């Protein structure tokens, strides 16, 4: 690996930069400061809500690019760079289908807050880890025209791939259907994926695919992994991600991201021995 070329580092959050306790390591924040001194930009790219992402990365939130809601939203600090809203008529079409799936919980994701119908305390407790700003409503369809919605996130306590995907896969030509985790499935506009969002950031920064390093672990990371020559699958990644990534690293619980970043930092400090480390 010729890591000396890298000018942009992009990381998924859950299952990647975050450990299973939902924590970012202190080592990463130390590494970020060194990367910054070497003019290497950082992007956090997640299916999470924007507010949830920047809560995890609050110490550096104004210095990084954030791709939220699987590419539905791109921000740098307070600057909104792009938004890809899901058409209201598509939302109205899919919600009744989702309601028919037993033990499924629907999240309608707006730009600043999420909306749910579920009153299930177990789901709400879990949901709050990913969506810090939310409101419970009687009927999601009633609010579809009230604001722009970036995606529909759907949760099943057993398996999103087994229980949710079969019910909505017929819509994959109309909408982007992504299994984003063991329990989560996301529905958005076809162009609203992490890969398209990453291309926008690369274009803005004048950074190429050959200068980009990406970490991911699940299906919603596939497109952005294809936008980087240095694409890394986590040790805990889905097999489909491992099949498409050019490289692999250790699991999220074993500092897989940080170990690659340490190699990148070592390469840069070797090339520039007088640089402030």
């Amino acid at each position: 690996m010729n890591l000396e070329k890298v000018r942009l580092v992009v990381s998924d959050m859950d299952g990647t930069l975050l450990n299973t306790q939902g924590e970012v390591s202190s080592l990463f924040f130390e590494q970020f400061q060194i990367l910054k001194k070497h003019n290497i930009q950082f992007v956090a790219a997640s299916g999470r809500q924007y507010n949830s992402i920047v809560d995890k990365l609050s110490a550096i939130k104004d210095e990084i690019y954030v791709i939220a809601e699987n590419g539905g939203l791109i921000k740098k600090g307070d600057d909104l760079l792009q938004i890809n809203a899901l058409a209201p008529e598509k939302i109205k079409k899919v919600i009744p289908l989702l309601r028919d799936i037993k033990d499924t919980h629907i999240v309608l994701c707006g730009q600043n807050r999420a909306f749910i119908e579920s009153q299930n305390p177990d789901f709400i407790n879990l949901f709050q880890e990913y969506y810090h700003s939310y409101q419970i409503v009687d009927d999601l369809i009633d609010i579809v025209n009230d604001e722009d919605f970036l995606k529909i996130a759907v949760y099943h306590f057993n398996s999103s791939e087994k229980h949710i995907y079969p019910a909505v896969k017929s819509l994959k030509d109309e909408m982007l259907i992504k299994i984003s985790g063991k329990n989560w499935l996301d529905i958005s506009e076809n162009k609203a994926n992490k890969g398209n969002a990453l291309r926008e950031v690369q274009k803005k920064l004048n950074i190429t695919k050959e200068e980009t390093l990406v970490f991911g672990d699940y299906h919603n990371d596939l497109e952005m992994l294809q936008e980087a020559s240095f694409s890394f699958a986590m040790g805990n990644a889905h097999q489909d991600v491992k099949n498409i990534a050019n490289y692999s690293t250790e699991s999220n619980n074993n500092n897989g991201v940080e170990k690659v970043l340490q190699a990148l930092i070592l390469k840069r400090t070797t090339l520039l021995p007088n640089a402030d480390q």
Side-chain angles (χ1 to χ4, degrees), residues 6 9 26-42 60 63 258 261-270 272 275-277:
V6 174
V9 172
S26 58
L27 175 58
F28 168 76
F29 289 106
E30 295 171 12
Q31 291 175 325
F32 173 82
Q33 297 303 326
I34 300 172
L35 294 175
K36 187 170 69 169
K37 290 173 183 176
H38 288 283
N39 297 313
I40 297 173
Q41 300 278 348
F42 180 78
I60 59 174
E63 303 177 82
E258 290 86 344
L261 294 184
Q262 200 59 42
L264 172 58
I265 289 167
L266 180 61
K267 188 69 172 177
R268 282 302 175 94
T269 53
T270 301
L272 301 168
D276 182 5
Q277 298 180 32

Side-chain angles (χ1 to χ4, degrees), residues 14-20 234-236 250-256:
D14 293 280
T16 304
L17 187 60
L18 300 177
N19 62 23
T20 50
M234 304 301 292
N236 52 286
E250 296 189 38
S251 74
N252 60 322
N253 283 332
N254 202 26
N255 288 343

Side-chain angles (χ1 to χ4, degrees), residues 199-264:
R199 280 200 299 273
E200 287 299 313
V201 175
Q202 289 169 323
K203 182 179 177 181
K204 182 175 182 62
L205 294 173
N206 194 27
I207 289 176
T208 66
K209 176 179 178 177
E210 291 72 29
E211 297 169 315
T212 303
L213 188 157
V214 170
F215 300 97
D217 77 306
Y218 231 85
H219 290 94
N220 58 331
D221 298 319
L222 292 174
E223 289 90 352
M224 76 171 182
L225 287 164
Q226 293 175 306
E227 298 305 319
S229 293
F230 301 99
S231 54
F232 283 84
M234 304 301 292
N236 52 286
H238 192 286
Q239 188 59 48
D240 292 346
V241 173
K242 293 180 179 180
N243 290 344
I244 203 170
N246 292 327
Y247 305 98
S248 61
T249 184
E250 296 189 38
S251 74
N252 60 322
N253 283 332
N254 202 26
N255 288 343
V257 169
E258 290 86 344
K259 287 177 178 175
V260 176
L261 294 184
Q262 200 59 42
L264 172 58

Side-chain angles (χ1 to χ4, degrees), residues 99-105 120 155-158 163-164:
R99 285 174 175 160
D100 286 339
I101 308 170
K102 186 179 179 181
D103 298 326
T104 292
H105 302 273
N120 183 303
Y155 185 88
H156 195 283
F157 278 101
N158 180 264
H163 296 286
I164 304 173

